[in-house]
Amino acid sequence: MKYIIPFFLLLCVLSACTRTNQQNTTPPDTPVALLDSAFFYSTGPKEIIFVTTNFHYDDQGRYTGTYETLTTSTVDHIGLVPDTMALTLTYNGSDSLPATYEYTDAMSYYAGGPPGSSLLRYDDQRRIILDSPANPVYTRRFTYGNGDISRTAREFLSSPDTIFTDGNNVSRYEIASAYLYSFAYSNYPNPFYFPKLATHAGAIFYEDGRDTYSKNLFSKKTGIYSPTTGTYNYTWTLNTDGQVVSGIGINQDTGLPVEYYRFVYKK
């Protein structure tokens, strides 16, 4: 699951800025306002992707899911593929942690059939330990070490994946030791961070671009994967309320912008 914004929105990103990341007025531990929608646009290196995501909550302010539309094409601008995806979380009574969730997409990429509704299990510290969907092919188990979270999934033959943390943020993300992402962080609040999930169920939703675990937004991301290694440096823009409203990722090697973000908050 990725979050991306269209190229024409870059003009909005550049013109709507009221303060850049030269100064931070929002303490890192202060929860940000609820995210209404996010837009993300990526220019490559292998494809062009544009995603619009809308976030939903219940009357208790609990995160209940997303609805997103994605358009992707190859770098040669062929093979345009539109898709829609929905993530729905459910809770038991007034519990703060989701009991089940379901992820669906219109294109139905699942070779073994869709996972179906997933039942979640937690340990005595309220950390996710089991993601058990109706289709057992997609079952994931989570174990916790000293500053790391490992995820094992049967559908990924090269699993487990490991999320390394520094206490507040994800410092490294390894995908079966073949792919590696490392991060440096700004002091800005992460719009995707949900305090009620974070260290409890955040690992289940952690993907590149949708980090619900980290309190802060990254300032640098380095990806090491065959055959490409690249580092992106990020500049974030805040509004007068201290909320991050946009951002640009610059390829360190070429100096060119490669990622564009825009965030809209609920009033």
Side-chain angles (χ1 to χ4, degrees), residues 4-264:
I4 317 172
I5 86 173
F7 184 78
F8 71 83
L9 284 174
L10 175 59
L11 297 178
C12 299
V13 169
L14 295 177
S15 63
C17 300
T18 57
R19 185 164 64 248
T20 67
N21 65 353
Q22 293 176 354
Q23 182 179 2
N24 179 28
T25 59
T26 303
D29 293 337
T30 301
V32 297
L34 293 178
L35 190 60
D36 178 78
S37 53
F39 307 87
F40 179 77
Y41 176 83
S42 171
T43 61
K46 296 182 180 180
E47 60 183 357
I48 297 173
I49 306 173
F50 165 34
V51 177
T52 299
T53 307
N54 295 306
F55 293 77
H56 303 290
Y57 309 88
D58 62 15
D59 55 7
Q60 298 183 47
R62 296 179 299 191
Y63 169 55
T64 57
T66 56
Y67 179 81
E68 67 185 32
T69 59
L70 176 149
T71 301
T72 180
S73 66
T74 68
V75 74
D76 297 321
H77 305 285
I78 60 175
L80 189 67
V81 180
D83 196 6
T84 60
M85 293 153 285
L87 172 68
T88 304
L89 282 67
T90 60
Y91 297 80
N92 289 328
S94 60
D95 289 351
S96 61
L97 299 181
T100 67
Y101 82 95
E102 186 167 6
Y103 176 73
T104 59
D105 70 80
M107 297 297 292
S108 298
Y109 294 111
Y110 305 102
S117 181
S118 297
L119 184 66
L120 303 179
R121 290 284 183 262
Y122 304 89
D123 64 13
D124 57 4
Q125 298 183 51
R126 295 167 60 82
R127 300 175 303 189
I128 184 73
I129 56 173
L130 179 65
D131 170 14
S132 181
N135 186 338
V137 170
Y138 303 100
T139 298
R140 292 192 292 180
R141 292 173 172 80
F142 300 79
T143 57
Y144 298 82
N146 183 17
D148 65 84
I149 306 168
S150 291
R151 309 185 302 179
T152 302
R154 286 173 55 188
E155 81 276 22
F156 299 119
L157 299 180
S158 55
S159 283
D161 300 346
T162 305
I163 301 168
F164 295 89
T165 71
D166 62 9
N168 290 328
N169 301 305
V170 173
S171 57
R172 239 172 43 250
Y173 177 39
E174 292 184 2
I175 306 176
S177 299
Y179 298 79
L180 171 65
Y181 294 91
S182 60
F183 304 89
Y185 284 85
S186 69
N187 288 325
Y188 298 128
N190 174 15
F192 299 127
Y193 175 77
F194 300 109
K196 293 182 179 179
L197 294 177
T199 57
H200 301 288
I204 200 172
F205 304 114
Y206 183 84
E207 301 290 347
D208 182 29
R210 178 177 295 179
D211 179 3
T212 58
Y213 182 96
S214 301
K215 289 185 178 181
N216 306 108
L217 274 173
F218 43 74
S219 58
K220 177 181 290 188
K221 177 178 69 177
T222 299
I224 302 174
Y225 48 94
S226 178
T228 304
T229 297
T231 296
Y232 296 170
N233 296 304
Y234 295 85
T235 298
W236 304 106
T237 299
L238 282 65
N239 61 18
T240 54
D241 294 323
Q243 299 165 338
V244 177
V245 292
S246 62
I248 299 176
I250 304 294
N251 185 310
Q252 182 171 282
D253 294 329
T254 66
L256 297 175
V258 288
E259 293 182 354
Y260 308 92
Y261 295 77
R262 185 164 70 91
F263 303 103
V264 178

